[in-house]
């Protein structure tokens, strides 16, 4: 689904436990979830690729490997299995065609598109049932955009639920099965991605539809 309009990012952060949600409930597979923190969201196999990549997505001084495994450290036991961490990171670097001289390179040294791939790899490694992508292609080049679109389609084919939040209406229309439009945190319209128009979306986004 694509999500557009005022309040969309706040809604995503509330689902992921990054902010308090006033009213509303979260359901997965018919069961109500009680998410009070990102740890709760991760435990329920929900991932969030945040719009604020530098502030909330990456840890700039840490390596690509450390950023990739950040949400999955329990997988590697105690003490950490560094060999397995390295193997998994290298697998995702290859799978996503991330351009880097080494997995030990600080992530802050990569381009925006390659940083985004590392954060995506983090959530793919979690094998989430739901992944929220907030402005997933903002500030990255056309080549990285194309790869991310391809990845989204592949995840959808695997049965993953994807919620894409975007201010780029052609992106929303082109990538979404369903489009949810919000105004000041409330849903004002739900449209089919097939046949939706930018004018129609904007009417709902401005609460005049």
């Amino acid at each position: 689904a694509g999500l557009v309009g005022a309040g969309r990012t706040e809604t995503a952060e509330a689902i992921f436990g990054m902010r308090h949600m006033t009213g509303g409930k979260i359901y997965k597979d018919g069961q109500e979830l009680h998410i009070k923190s990102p740890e709760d969201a991760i435990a329920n196999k929900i991932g969030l690729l945040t719009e604020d990549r530098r502030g909330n997505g990456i840890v700039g001084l840490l390596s690509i490997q450390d950023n990739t495994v950040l949400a999955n450290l329990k997988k590697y036991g105690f003490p950490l299995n560094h060999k397995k961490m390295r193997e998994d990171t290298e697998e995702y670097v290859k799978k996503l065609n991330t351009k880097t001289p080494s997995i030990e390179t600080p992530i802050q040294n990569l381009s925006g598109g390659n940083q985004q791939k590392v954060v995506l790899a983090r959530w793919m490694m979690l094998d989430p049932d739901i992944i929220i992508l907030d402005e997933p292609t903002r500030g990255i080049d056309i080549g990285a955009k194309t790869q991310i679109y391809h990845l989204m389609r592949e995840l959808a084919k695997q049965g993953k639920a994807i919620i894409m939040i975007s201010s780029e209406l052609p992106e929303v229309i082109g990538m979404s099965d369903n489009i949810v439009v919000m105004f000041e945190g409330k849903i004002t319209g739900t449209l089919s991605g097939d046949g939706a128009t930018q004018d129609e979306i904007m009417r709902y986004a401005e609460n005049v539809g």
Side-chain angles (χ1 to χ4, degrees):
L3 194 62
V4 297
R8 63 201 189 280
T9 292
E10 291 82 359
T11 299
E13 290 178 350
I15 293 172
F16 197 67
M18 292 175 64
R19 64 172 66 212
H20 176 69
M21 182 168 62
T22 303
K25 296 180 179 180
I26 302 169
Y27 289 89
K28 175 186 166 189
D29 298 329
Q31 300 294 317
E32 183 180 354
L33 303 182
H34 299 280
I35 296 175
K36 297 181 179 179
S37 68
E39 290 80 8
D40 291 341
I42 290 170
N44 283 284
K45 304 196 79 173
I46 300 173
L48 170 65
L49 190 149
T50 175
E51 176 185 7
D52 184 9
R53 182 175 62 244
R54 289 190 175 276
N56 295 322
I58 67 170
V59 183
L61 294 175
L62 294 185
S63 69
I64 290 168
Q65 174 178 293
D66 290 342
N67 273 274
T68 301
V69 303
L70 199 56
N72 299 276
L73 290 176
K74 289 183 179 179
K75 171 182 178 181
Y76 299 102
F78 185 81
L80 292 171
N81 185 336
H82 291 281
K83 180 175 183 291
K84 180 61 174 171
M85 290 165 63
R86 184 171 60 254
E87 290 173 349
D88 288 349
T89 302
E90 288 174 344
E91 175 186 349
Y92 278 97
V93 164
K94 183 177 181 180
K95 184 180 294 185
L96 300 184
N97 194 27
T98 306
K99 303 300 183 185
T100 176
S102 164
I103 62 172
E104 300 301 330
T105 299
I107 193 172
Q108 66 184 7
N109 293 356
L110 302 186
S111 68
N114 284 299
Q115 290 177 0
Q116 198 77 316
K117 291 178 185 179
V118 173
V119 181
L120 277 168
R122 177 190 304 162
W123 297 119
M124 289 174 65
M125 190 178 291
L126 179 68
D127 190 27
D129 297 322
I130 302 169
I131 182 166
I132 307 166
L133 306 179
D134 193 352
E135 300 289 358
T137 63
R138 176 173 289 175
I140 65 177
D141 62 46
I142 188 65
K145 279 188 178 184
T146 300
Q147 289 179 321
I148 288 173
Y149 292 154
H150 175 74
L151 175 60
M152 290 170 64
R153 292 188 180 99
E154 288 300 311
L155 290 171
K157 287 180 182 177
Q158 295 171 22
K160 309 299 183 184
I162 299 175
I163 302 172
M164 181 180 68
I165 299 169
S166 179
S167 54
E168 297 187 28
L169 296 188
E171 177 175 79
V172 171
I173 293 170
M175 293 297 298
S176 304
D177 294 318
N178 296 287
I179 301 170
V180 177
V181 190
M182 303 184 71
F183 178 80
E184 295 183 348
K186 296 182 179 179
I187 295 174
T188 54
T190 303
L191 311 170
S192 170
D194 184 17
T197 67
Q198 294 190 43
D199 288 344
E200 187 178 17
I201 293 171
M202 287 307 300
R203 285 199 301 271
Y204 284 111
E206 295 169 357
N207 201 27
V208 295

